[in-house]
């Protein structure tokens, strides 16, 4: 697996790079590759996004071909785009479960207990005295020619107010959180990066 730390990359540039690498991996011309980066602030909508989920104030949204609904990407959030060939027969649900477990392990190493929630993708801090279930990592993927696209977004120390103008992932009865908010200290993308890298082999 090749890991690329790409730094800060605008969304559409990263999407074009994903597609370029995807073609190489699908053609057998490149190894499985994971792009790890941050985006400038951007809202993206997956194929299942409904009109009522979109920003209430008319903020622009980029429509993309991944699964899932609408989400936000921006500074303080580590985004990972694994571009890898899945074994035959392709089992997308199993791949998503492996990604969830990878992110659960990353959070655990940082001292935060998280879990999957039945019927909802991503990684969650379960309801407690501080509030209802709240998502710390979002997942939205696509598989073409047996090779994955898109991936995960893990909130490290991002501005959570960015989630206030839309319905994150179309979920109205839960919240969004970050590693910093839950752990009560500043957890940066730079701190999270090497931990994620160590756990990426869980995706196989």
């Amino acid at each position: 697996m090749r890991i690329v730390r790409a730094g800060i990359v605008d969304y559409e540039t990263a999407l074009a790079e994903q597609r370029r690498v995807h073609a190489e991996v699908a053609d057998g011309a490149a190894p499985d590759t994971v792009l790890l980066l941050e985006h400038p602030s951007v809202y993206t909508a997956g194929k299942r996004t409904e009109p009522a989920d979109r920003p209430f104030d008319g903020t622009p949204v980029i429509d993309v071909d991944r699964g899932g609904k609408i989400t936000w990407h921006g500074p303080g959030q580590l985004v990972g785009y694994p571009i890898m060939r899945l074994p035959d027969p392709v089992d997308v649900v199993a791949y998503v479960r492996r990604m969830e477990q990878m992110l659960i392990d990353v959070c655990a190493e940082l001292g935060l207990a998280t879990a999957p929630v039945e019927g909802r993708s991503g990684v969650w801090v379960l309801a407690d005295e501080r509030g209802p279930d709240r998502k710390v990592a979002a997942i939205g993927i696509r598989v073409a020619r047996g090779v994955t696209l898109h991936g995960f977004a893990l909130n490290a120390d991002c501005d959570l107010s960015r989630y206030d103008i839309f319905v994150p992932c179309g979920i109205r009865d839960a919240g969004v959180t970050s590693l910093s908010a839950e752990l009560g200290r500043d957890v940066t993308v730079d701190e999270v990066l090497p931990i994620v890298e160590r756990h990426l082999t869980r995706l196989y």
Side-chain angles (χ1 to χ4, degrees), residues 27-175:
D27 290 341
D32 292 345
T33 300
V34 183
L35 307 178
L36 295 174
L37 49 86
E38 288 179 82
H39 289 305
S41 184
V42 63
Y43 294 88
T44 72
K47 293 182 289 186
R48 296 194 304 112
T49 301
E50 298 173 16
D53 300 334
R54 291 175 180 267
F56 317 131
D57 64 355
T59 297
V61 176
I62 298 174
D63 290 284
V64 293
D65 59 0
R66 61 167 168 79
K69 294 193 174 186
I70 189 169
T71 194
W72 172 83
H73 297 305
Q77 180 191 74
L78 176 61
V79 177
Y81 295 130
I83 304 167
M84 51 190 292
R85 182 170 295 284
L86 295 181
D88 286 326
V90 170
D91 187 335
V92 176
V93 173
Y95 171 67
V96 171
R97 294 295 169 264
R98 292 195 297 273
M99 186 174 287
E100 287 172 344
Q101 188 59 55
M102 182 269 291
L103 292 164
I104 288 168
D105 292 346
V106 168
C107 291
E109 187 165 328
L110 287 159
L112 179 64
T114 56
V117 170
E118 184 71 29
R120 293 175 171 175
S121 69
V123 172
W124 298 78
V125 177
L126 299 182
D128 57 17
E129 69 282 352
R130 298 177 60 193
D133 292 348
R134 46 207 185 268
K135 182 183 284 191
V136 70
I139 293 173
I141 68 158
R142 179 171 180 249
V143 178
R145 299 175 63 193
V147 176
T148 63
L149 284 154
H150 303 288
F152 63 87
L154 176 60
N155 291 344
D157 58 349
C158 55
D159 177 4
L160 294 174
S161 71
R162 296 289 189 167
Y163 291 95
D164 292 343
I165 65 164
F166 73 109
V167 181
C169 302
I171 297 171
R172 290 170 168 77
D173 59 346

